Amino acid sequence: MAACTSSLVSLLLLLLLLLLLVVAPWRSAGEATAEPALNFTRQDFPGDFVFGAGTSAYQYEGATGEDGRTPSVWDTFTHAGWRTRAPEDVKLMSDTGLEAYRFSISWSRLIPRGGGPINPKGLEYYNNLIDELVKRGIEIHVTLYHLDFPQALEDEYHGWLSPRIMEDFTAYADVCFREFGDRVRHWTTMDEPNVLSIAAYDSGAFPPCRCSPPFGTNCAAGNSTVEPYVVAHNSILAHASVVRMYRDKYQAKQKGVVGMNVYTFWPYPFSRSCADIAAVQRVLDFTIGWILYPLVYGDYPEIMKKQAGSRIPSFTKEQSELIRGSADFIGINHYTSVYVSNGSNREKAGLRDYYSDMAAHFRVSRNDTPREKYVPYKVLSEPKGLQCMLEYLRDTYEGIPVYVQENGKFSNSISIHIQPNDVLQQRRFKQFDKDDSLNDTERVEYLSSYMGRTLAALRNRANVKGYFVWSFLDVFELFAGYHSPFGLHHVDFEDPSLPRQPKLSAQWYSKFLRSEIGINIENMVSPDEHEHAYQ
């Protein structure tokens, strides 16, 4: 009898262990336990792992009407203007100790009409920038398209809504590979196509500001129920066309890699209910799987096809073969995590858009009001979510290499309170206190904890290849204008000479990259801790 009892106890313990293994990945943020201290240095990362920082063409370059450059849709939208200082900034990157720099090429600077003749001044600008980076020994990561679509092609055929984009985007990429590929080995075709599709064609918050009621307001044209799916579809096909061209024409000689970027956030279930856990998986499929699943497996996730029905385009057999395996790596932009709860009651609505199909509600914190749309109006420090995301990508997408291409924070918990169609008001923002911006201790804590979580994911066999801080300098942020202190270096936009000054975070990052300091995270910020901080 004693033997039977002992066996029964052992069996129960085994079942309990298995239950914990199943439940643990879905543990809600408020229930997570504090993590042990993590001490690390630059040497704890693999030799081929790269640390860098980034900017994008529209947000950094300026000179919007100079040297043959024509407007992009963002120029039309904001009428912003300033002037870049690339040679000095590359020296600043070298002085900081950056191992890599990620930037984007302005399509309308290089090819002003979107197609046709190359702009000599644009070609000279990028050749000079790339040569300077090579001279300084900084690894170059180029994004071909970072939301700044040529206005000329938008006027001609509505850009990403038309299948014509595949031919023009491939031709543009061909020019970039031909002119710069002898020095550039890392190419990202597009930045955040999942954001572009929703923000520009569902809510209408981003240019070309297309939407339809009740999902968006003040749009002159658009159809929120179908256009986001069409834009994403054409983006995936355009990416795959570029990759095939590169592999056929350039890869053997240039030895480069081409990938795709997506915006990510980690969704924690609001409760342990089956409905909320199912909502988390829907959110992962709709936000990440929307773009990555076709690139790895050749089709959209089944839940997307079920929810959107005929409103989501289908891939032909030939297209499926073209897109499957068309990414050498994945780039993610990751900043924070959210709570997700079930919103399946929205499925019964007669007129539906992307968010209605996803059928979820979002909260920044547990006591936050649930929202039907995810709007990143706050960037909360929740580094565990990045580790969860990297390990999820490891398990779901066949271990494809991943770069964390953007991760960063406003100084001192600044929140963004911009509603759709308010971006034109950005220049009215008051510049934040310079001393407060320079002494950015919260950014140091944020970056160090997210870097620590990246290392933890690496040690758990996530195939992470690099980490890039957003951004190298204070730049024109798409949701917060000129004066949002996201950069490692402060830029005084009130001074016409735009002087740069390193913040505390730049000095800290420099010392870490030069192995002059290690990082000792006494208390890794865990979800329950951030909950107390932001209630």
Side-chain angles (χ1 to χ4, degrees):
M1 185 67 177
C4 293
T5 303
S6 176
S7 299
L8 180 59
V9 170
S10 298
L11 178 60
L12 289 173
L13 288 173
L14 178 60
L15 289 173
L16 178 60
L17 176 61
L18 290 173
L19 180 62
L20 289 172
L21 289 173
V22 171
V23 173
W26 298 108
R27 183 165 50 192
S28 65
E31 297 164 332
T33 56
E35 297 292 327
L38 178 61
N39 305 321
F40 62 93
T41 67
R42 174 64 183 91
Q43 279 66 42
D44 286 302
F45 290 81
D48 62 349
F49 189 95
V50 65
F51 280 96
T55 61
S56 78
Y58 175 74
Q59 294 168 274
Y60 166 73
E61 287 179 6
T64 55
E66 300 178 27
D67 295 333
R69 184 187 183 279
T70 59
S72 73
V73 291
W74 271 99
D75 298 311
T76 303
F77 188 44
T78 65
H79 310 289
W82 60 97
R83 180 78 191 192
T84 184
R85 290 169 39 179
E88 299 169 54
D89 287 337
V90 174
K91 181 180 183 302
L92 187 59
M93 294 173 202
S94 179
D95 292 343
T96 304
L98 284 196
E99 300 167 3
Y101 175 51
R102 175 181 177 243
F103 66 95
S104 70
I105 291 174
S106 167
W107 188 346
S108 56
R109 185 180 299 281
L110 188 62
I111 307 175
R113 297 298 301 171
I118 298 173
N119 173 24
K121 290 288 187 179
L123 185 62
E124 179 184 17
Y125 172 84
Y126 290 112
N127 270 321
N128 289 343
L129 172 59
I130 290 169
D131 286 344
E132 192 70 20
L133 289 165
V134 170
K135 184 174 74 173
R136 299 281 181 178
I138 298 172
E139 186 173 287
I140 303 165
H141 290 243
V142 170
T143 301
L144 293 173
Y145 175 71
H146 196 119
L147 305 179
D148 52 345
F149 192 77
Q151 186 65 50
L153 297 185
E154 181 64 31
D155 294 339
E156 184 178 350
Y157 57 76
H158 296 304
W160 295 103
L161 281 171
S162 171
R164 291 177 58 184
I165 188 59
M166 283 175 271
E167 181 179 351
D168 283 336
F169 188 58
T170 303
Y172 159 60
D174 195 5
V175 170
C176 294
F177 297 150
R178 185 182 72 235
E179 299 294 338
F180 313 127
D182 59 326
R183 291 152 292 166
V184 178
R185 299 290 182 270
H186 300 85
W187 298 94
T188 301
T189 53
M190 296 183 65
D191 185 86
E192 299 182 352
N194 51 346
V195 170
L196 169 72
S197 301
I198 302 163
Y201 297 88
D202 191 340
S203 67
F206 278 13
C209 305
R210 294 180 65 89
C211 64
S212 59
F215 309 108
T217 59
N218 301 323
C219 292
N223 186 336
S224 298
T225 66
V226 298
E227 288 188 0
Y229 293 120
V230 172
V231 168
H233 194 76
N234 289 336
S235 299
I236 293 166
L237 290 171
H239 159 84
S241 174
V242 166
V243 173
R244 180 174 62 182
M245 182 267 294
Y246 183 79
R247 289 174 177 174
D248 290 346
K249 194 173 180 180
Y250 295 103
Q251 195 168 44
K253 183 177 181 179
Q254 296 182 356
K255 310 298 184 185
V257 290
V258 185
M260 180 77 128
N261 170 282
V262 292
Y263 178 84
T264 71
F265 55 86
W266 183 250
Y268 287 108
F270 183 68
S271 76
R272 290 184 177 184
S273 71
C274 293
D276 283 359
I277 291 174
V280 164
Q281 187 59 56
R282 276 200 309 277
V283 167
L284 288 167
D285 286 337
F286 267 80
T287 56
I288 303 166
W290 189 12
I291 306 299
L292 299 188
Y293 210 86
L295 301 187
V296 175
Y297 301 108
D299 200 1
Y300 295 115
E302 288 300 320
I303 188 63
M304 291 198 74
K305 294 191 291 182
K306 175 185 176 183
Q307 298 289 95
S310 61
R311 288 179 292 113
I312 190 169
S314 298
F315 294 110
T316 66
K317 181 180 179 181
E318 292 75 16
Q319 289 172 337
S320 182
E321 292 174 354
L322 172 70
I323 63 178
R324 184 186 295 112
S326 64
D328 296 320
F329 66 87
I330 294 168
I332 65 170
N333 298 346
H334 186 97
Y335 293 89
T336 192
S337 301
V338 297
Y339 291 97
V340 168
S341 58
N342 180 47
S344 58
N345 58 309
R346 300 172 63 189
E347 299 176 17
K348 300 177 182 178
L351 196 62
R352 289 165 54 179
D353 71 338
Y354 166 89
Y355 278 106
S356 303
D357 293 334
M358 183 161 47
H361 291 141
F362 302 89
R363 293 172 174 85
V364 173
S365 62
R366 280 200 171 278
N367 58 356
D368 192 21
T369 301
R371 300 166 182 261
E372 294 186 344
K373 296 182 178 182
Y374 170 66
V375 179
Y377 69 97
K378 286 184 180 179
V379 177
L380 306 184
S381 183
E382 210 298 273
K384 174 69 174 180
L386 176 58
Q387 181 181 347
C388 292
M389 178 58 66
L390 293 171
E391 293 175 4
Y392 174 79
L393 294 172
R394 172 201 66 196
D395 296 339
T396 309
Y397 294 102
E398 300 184 339
I400 189 170
V402 178
Y403 288 87
V404 180
Q405 292 185 323
E406 285 186 23
N407 178 242
K409 187 182 186 301
F410 282 107
S411 290
N412 301 324
S413 303
I414 292 165
S415 299
I416 307 173
H417 295 288
I418 295 182
Q419 299 301 317
N421 300 314
D422 282 351
V423 181
L424 288 175
Q425 306 301 320
Q426 292 172 79
R427 282 176 288 174
R428 299 181 183 178
F429 277 34
K430 180 180 179 181
Q431 180 155 1
F432 302 118
D433 181 77
K434 180 180 178 180
D435 292 335
D436 186 52
S437 176
L438 291 174
N439 189 33
D440 56 346
T441 54
E442 287 193 7
R443 178 179 290 108
V444 171
E445 294 169 0
Y446 176 98
L447 294 175
S448 62
S449 59
Y450 275 80
M451 289 162 60
R453 288 300 185 171
T454 302
L455 178 59
L458 267 165
R459 290 173 171 172
N460 286 343
R461 304 182 312 281
N463 193 9
V464 196
K465 295 296 186 181
Y467 173 93
F468 290 76
V469 174
W470 183 268
S471 55
F472 180 65
L473 302 166
D474 289 342
V475 295
F476 182 94
E477 290 294 339
L478 301 184
F479 266 129
Y482 291 104
H483 305 304
S484 57
F486 243 118
L488 295 170
H489 292 80
H490 173 79
V491 178
D492 186 352
F493 290 101
E494 303 298 325
D495 186 330
S497 64
L498 302 177
R500 278 77 159 132
Q501 187 173 353
K503 301 178 185 179
L504 176 65
S505 58
Q507 300 171 46
W508 164 82
Y509 196 38
S510 178
K511 289 179 180 179
F512 172 77
L513 295 177
R514 298 181 189 281
S515 299
E516 296 175 8
I517 60 170
I519 295 177
N520 180 3
I521 305 175
E522 291 296 338
N523 292 300
M524 292 287 289
V525 178
S526 61
D528 54 339
E529 290 169 329
H530 103 246
E531 190 66 13
H532 290 300
Y534 290 96
Q535 278 182 353

